[in-house]
Amino acid sequence: MIFKKTIKALRLAEVLLMTGFILIGAIFAIPNNSEILWVELIAVSISSYLLMLSVYTTNSLLGYELDKKNNRLKNLNFISKPIYTISTIIFYGISLIICIFIKPESVILHFTIFVLWFLYGMPGFGKHLPIVGTIIHILVAVVQFNFAYMFIAPISEVSVFISIFFALLISGGHLHHEIIDYEADKLNKIKTSTVKWGVKNTKYFSFSIFVIAHSYWCLLLITGYIELFWFISFFGGFLIHLGMFISKGTKFENNYQARLKYRLIYRIVYFICGLIVALQIIFF
């Protein structure tokens, strides 16, 4: 029972998902290298997961009191603040050591990732202000992608351009995350974009970013920065997302469970898209 509650409090599954948005950078770097560098790939995988664990424990620490009033996050209080502090130091420390030994030049980006996420969770800033949280998500996603990319190949304009696509996906998802927490954030007087402009407006704002992301993805195809297979894989996922938004979009305006289900489905869809591309890059 204690073990299960600890797993929930640390949000290990969600951390794994967010780690995927980092590791996709390493996967996209493989075509620019003559061979798969398995040691580097394993190292960046472990380092990224521990880094994101430290980010989540820090976020739980910064929002400890407010999370008590959020039904979705109240399980986080199972772990005490001192334990969150110690966990953050341990997770970040081990992650940093891996970077120092395997890819010393990645330390700056490693630290930048942590700082940006700290600013996101900091009371009175980041997620507590309209648009600011979304901007931070875009910036940190670009840095994360290129952090993993540099373990396999040098950062280039190609890696930066591709990272912007994933940054837009993450920021669009972040806005829906705000919709999920709308009632709790309003109760806690957290001035997110959704609290300021309402669920309906933010819903369209969120999906418009997904539209912009895939329009940009199309531009990268036209200009030769990505392969046709990569484009088709993610655009196919977007079409599924579009159909779901049209058919289910109105339901989650006043239905909390519908919001969660919508997020779960589009997360699975884009995860499968990323997995298909990753398998194609690695094995074909």
Side-chain angles (χ1 to χ4, degrees), residues 53-67:
L53 273 175
S54 73
V55 165
Y56 270 70
T57 52
T58 300
N59 189 269
S60 297
L61 182 63
L62 293 172
Y64 199 82
E65 297 303 322
L66 292 177
D67 290 344

Side-chain angles (χ1 to χ4, degrees), residues 15-35:
V15 171
L16 184 62
L17 175 68
M18 292 305 295
T19 302
F21 276 103
I22 303 179
L23 295 183
I24 195 72
I27 298 300
F28 273 90
I30 291 174
N32 295 320
N33 205 308
S34 58
E35 59 180 335

Side-chain angles (χ1 to χ4, degrees), residues 237-256:
F238 171 68
L239 293 179
I240 295 174
H241 187 183
L242 173 62
M244 183 174 62
F245 180 78
I246 293 173
S247 63
K248 307 291 186 180
T250 57
K251 292 183 179 180
F252 61 70
E253 289 183 21
N254 298 299
N255 188 322
Y256 178 77

